[in-house]
């Protein structure tokens, strides 16, 4: 019996060993697949977070991703059910204050954006009834009181680990609102210029009263001569001068427009060449108009500019001095000047060439500028008027009187002329360009390089 039992046990062991060798090896158990939209293991595809990312509340889902809150919400779902209050897309896009939205999306305000979004998440499943109101603690750490009337789509999405309710507007916690108000107040006061210490009037020993605020569009407080750049002997280009700094007007565009008007009008090409190419007066005029000053330009026509001699343009700065004498720091039209000379007989206008003034009087039904033979008549009225710059065409170049009070040599040698008719229907003179500038460049080349002027090349 012992031998048969031993043989039977040996046979059973061999059969078991053969059966084990024929079976394939078993694989270890794998963890459950992660949710496609959640990103971390442990969140199933039926989670409320996946439903939020695939729901109609796309603006809220994008803000959650920008605030880097997916991991925090996954941890909250792992601890229990949650309730998400989702504002409609219009409340986060069109109805939201653009300044507040810009504040939330700034990288330095990431904590405020996270607090705002967590304020819409409740760490429990809450079902709303038509007559109930919510008073519950949120994931942001601040309590929330929400009436059922503010919920537009109750139980919009229901999942085993949470529920989503659609609400009408964005809920802003008190901490985020205070941070936004604080940042907006700092931005408002940062643009205020610091004021200096109070000054004491030495005559009265009292504090000097600050100057009243300048209303919008008011003329500058400084006279125009203080805002002008230094002369060509000091600085070859316009230097920044004192001004109000308000820059309510686009002076450079206005100067460009009036120069183009001169070229299209015809007969004033020499003046346009000198303003743009031979001098920097066009830039200077644009800066003055931008600071709020007004100008009236007495523009000599091409025939008048051709009567200038090369000796009058050979001295450094002489083109600027001549043109400054033709600029009046007032806004005058042909009608206003004619009414003034008819009423007062003789009117003296300040010019940008201190201390000289130009005299205007009524003669032959027109306005006559200057005195004696070196005078000019208002030839083409109101060539350009835009409220800041007025251009009046004259038929001669005005030269200031000599230092001794008499006439300048150029004015004394000028031939006698009669008052021309105002060119309303008369033909314009033939366009000529560059004749005076070519003669001036030959003499100006001694003092400046020709490569600086486009027309001298």
């Amino acid at each position: 019996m012992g031998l048969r039992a031993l043989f039977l046990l040996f046979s059973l062991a061999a059969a078991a060993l053969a059966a084990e060798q024929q079976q394939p090896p078993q694989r270890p158990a794998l963890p459950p697949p992660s949710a496609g939209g959640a990103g971390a293991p442990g969140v199933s595809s039926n989670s409320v977070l996946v439903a939020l990312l695939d729901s109609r509340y796309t603006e809220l889902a994008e803000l959650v991703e920008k605030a880097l809150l997916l991991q925090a919400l996954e941890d909250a779902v792992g601890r229990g059910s949650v309730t998400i209050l989702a504002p409609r897309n219009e409340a986060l896009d069109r109805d939201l204050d653009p300044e507040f939205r810009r504040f939330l999306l700034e990288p330095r305000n990431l904590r405020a954006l996270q607090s705002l979004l967590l304020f819409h998440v409740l760490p429990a499943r809450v079902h709303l009834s038509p007559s109930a109101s919510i008073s519950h603690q949120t994931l942001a750490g601040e309590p929330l009181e929400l009436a059922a009337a503010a919920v537009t789509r109750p139980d919009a999405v229901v999942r085993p680990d949470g529920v989503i309710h659609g609400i009408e507007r964005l809920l802003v916690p008190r901490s985020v609102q205070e941070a936004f108000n604080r940042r907006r107040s700092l931005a408002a006061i940062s643009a205020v210029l610091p004021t200096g210490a109070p000054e004491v009037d030495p005559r009265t020993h009292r504090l000097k009263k600050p100057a009243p605020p300048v209303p919008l569009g008011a003329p500058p407080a400084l006279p125009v001569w203080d805002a002008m750049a230094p002369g060509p002997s000091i600085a070859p280009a316009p230097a920044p001068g004192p001004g109000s700094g308000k820059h309510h007007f686009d002076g450079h565009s206005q100067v460009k427009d009036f120069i183009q008007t001169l070229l299209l009008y015809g007969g004033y090409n020499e003046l346009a060449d000198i303003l743009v190419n031979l001098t920097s007066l066009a830039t200077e005029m644009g800066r003055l108009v931008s600071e709020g000053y007004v100008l009236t330009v007495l523009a000599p026509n091409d025939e008048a500019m051709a009567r200038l001699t090369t000796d009058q343009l050979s001295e450094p700065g002489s083109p600027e001095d001549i043109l400054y004498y033709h600029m009046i720091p007032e806004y005058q039209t042909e009608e206003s000047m004619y009414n003034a000379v008819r009423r007062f007989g003789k009117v003296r206008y300040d010019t940008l060439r201190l201390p000289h003034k130009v005299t205007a009087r009524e003669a032959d039904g027109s306005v006559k500028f200057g005195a004696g033979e070196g005078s000019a008549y208002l030839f083409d009225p109101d060539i350009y008027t835009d409220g800041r710059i007025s251009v009046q065409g004259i038929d001669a170049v005005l030269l200031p009187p000599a230092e001794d009070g008499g006439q300048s040599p150029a004015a004394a040698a000028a031939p006698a002329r009669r008052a021309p008719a105002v060119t309303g229907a008369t033909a314009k003179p033939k366009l000529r360009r560059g004749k005076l500038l070519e003669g001036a460049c030959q003499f100006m080349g001694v003092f400046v390089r020709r490569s600086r002027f486009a027309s001298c090349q």
Side-chain angles (χ1 to χ4, degrees):
M1 292 293 295
L3 183 60
R4 294 182 61 184
L6 182 61
F7 180 76
L8 181 60
L9 291 176
F10 180 75
S11 300
L12 292 175
L17 180 60
E20 182 178 0
Q21 291 178 355
Q22 292 179 0
Q23 294 180 356
Q26 297 182 356
R27 296 180 180 179
L30 297 176
S34 60
V43 177
S44 64
S45 60
N46 199 27
S47 172
V48 68
L49 296 182
V50 179
L52 174 64
L53 297 178
D54 296 336
S55 66
R56 58 188 297 174
Y57 304 105
T58 56
E59 293 289 337
L60 179 63
E62 290 181 4
L63 289 181
V64 169
E65 294 181 355
K66 290 181 180 180
L68 308 177
L69 284 179
L70 286 178
Q71 186 62 43
L73 294 180
E74 290 172 3
D75 296 341
V77 170
R79 293 191 297 265
S81 300
V82 296
T83 299
I84 301 177
L85 304 175
R88 56 192 180 94
N89 287 339
E90 290 79 5
L92 296 177
D93 186 13
R94 293 181 301 181
D95 300 342
L96 191 62
D97 183 14
E99 188 176 355
F100 183 64
R101 182 180 180 87
R102 193 182 310 113
F103 166 79
L104 293 176
L105 296 181
E106 289 181 356
R108 58 182 177 180
N109 301 324
L110 179 62
R111 294 292 181 87
L113 179 60
Q114 292 177 347
S115 301
L116 177 75
L117 296 177
L118 293 178
F119 191 67
H120 293 74
V121 182
L122 310 179
R125 180 188 292 269
V126 178
H127 293 281
L128 297 177
S129 61
S131 60
S133 60
I134 299 177
S135 180
H136 204 284
Q137 195 73 13
T138 63
L139 290 184
E142 300 184 37
L144 170 66
E145 295 183 1
L146 179 67
V151 179
T152 57
R153 299 176 61 89
D155 299 335
V157 178
V158 179
R159 292 293 184 269
D161 56 354
V163 61
I164 299 177
H165 299 303
I167 59 177
E168 178 68 19
R169 59 182 179 84
L170 183 69
L171 305 176
V172 181
R174 182 183 297 272
S175 60
V176 176
Q177 187 65 46
E178 291 178 353
F180 173 65
N181 294 338
R182 194 162 50 248
R183 180 62 54 83
R184 183 167 52 182
S185 299
L186 290 176
I189 66 176
S190 62
V192 178
L193 295 176
T195 57
E199 298 181 4
V200 178
D201 191 347
R203 297 172 299 175
T204 60
H205 300 286
R206 294 181 180 179
L207 293 178
K208 291 184 178 180
K209 295 182 179 181
V214 180
L216 185 65
L222 288 177
V224 65
W225 303 281
D226 293 339
M228 291 172 54
S233 60
I234 304 177
S244 61
K246 292 180 171 54
H247 298 284
H248 300 308
F249 309 98
D250 188 3
H252 296 284
S253 297
Q254 291 176 277
V255 171
K256 182 180 178 181
D257 290 342
F258 106 76
I259 292 178
Q260 290 179 347
T261 304
L262 283 179
L263 297 177
L264 295 176
Y265 192 87
Y268 293 89
N269 301 289
E270 300 285 358
L271 176 64
D273 281 337
I274 293 180
L275 285 175
V276 177
N277 298 321
L278 192 59
T279 65
S280 58
L281 293 184
T283 304
E284 176 71 9
M285 292 172 62
R287 190 181 65 84
L288 291 176
V289 175
S290 297
E291 293 190 3
Y293 298 95
V294 294
L295 294 174
T296 297
V297 181
L298 303 179
N301 56 14
D302 288 344
E303 294 181 1
M305 299 295 289
R307 288 195 292 267
L308 282 176
T309 63
T310 54
D311 295 337
Q312 295 170 330
L313 296 175
S314 60
E315 295 295 330
S318 58
E320 288 88 349
D321 291 339
I322 293 175
L323 294 187
Y324 274 143
Y325 189 64
H326 290 74
M327 297 181 187
I328 301 174
E330 302 177 17
Y331 185 78
Q332 298 286 343
T333 62
E334 186 268 341
E335 181 180 3
S336 64
M337 288 189 292
Y338 185 74
N339 291 337
V341 296
R342 282 291 302 271
R343 180 177 181 182
F344 302 106
K346 181 186 294 185
V347 180
R348 293 171 59 85
Y349 293 106
D350 292 327
T351 66
L352 294 188
R353 184 178 179 183
L354 282 178
H356 301 288
K357 297 184 178 183
V358 61
T359 304
R361 61 174 60 86
E362 192 271 339
D364 300 325
S366 179
V367 181
K368 182 179 180 181
F369 299 96
E373 299 299 334
S375 58
Y377 288 89
L378 184 56
F379 188 65
D380 289 322
D382 298 338
I383 297 177
Y384 180 86
T385 52
D386 63 354
R388 311 299 303 178
I389 301 176
S390 173
V391 181
Q392 307 294 327
I394 57 179
D395 65 337
V397 177
L398 299 174
L399 296 174
E403 299 296 334
D404 55 359
Q407 294 182 347
S408 61
R417 295 175 298 104
R418 298 182 60 184
V422 177
T423 57
T426 58
K428 296 182 177 61
K430 185 179 179 181
L431 299 182
R432 294 182 295 104
R433 189 173 180 83
K435 178 180 177 182
L436 175 64
L437 191 60
E438 292 177 0
C441 290
Q442 297 177 1
F443 287 87
M444 292 296 291
V446 180
F447 304 97
V448 294
R449 295 187 301 176
R450 291 187 179 182
S451 58
R452 294 183 54 189
F453 311 118
S455 299
C456 291
Q457 296 177 357

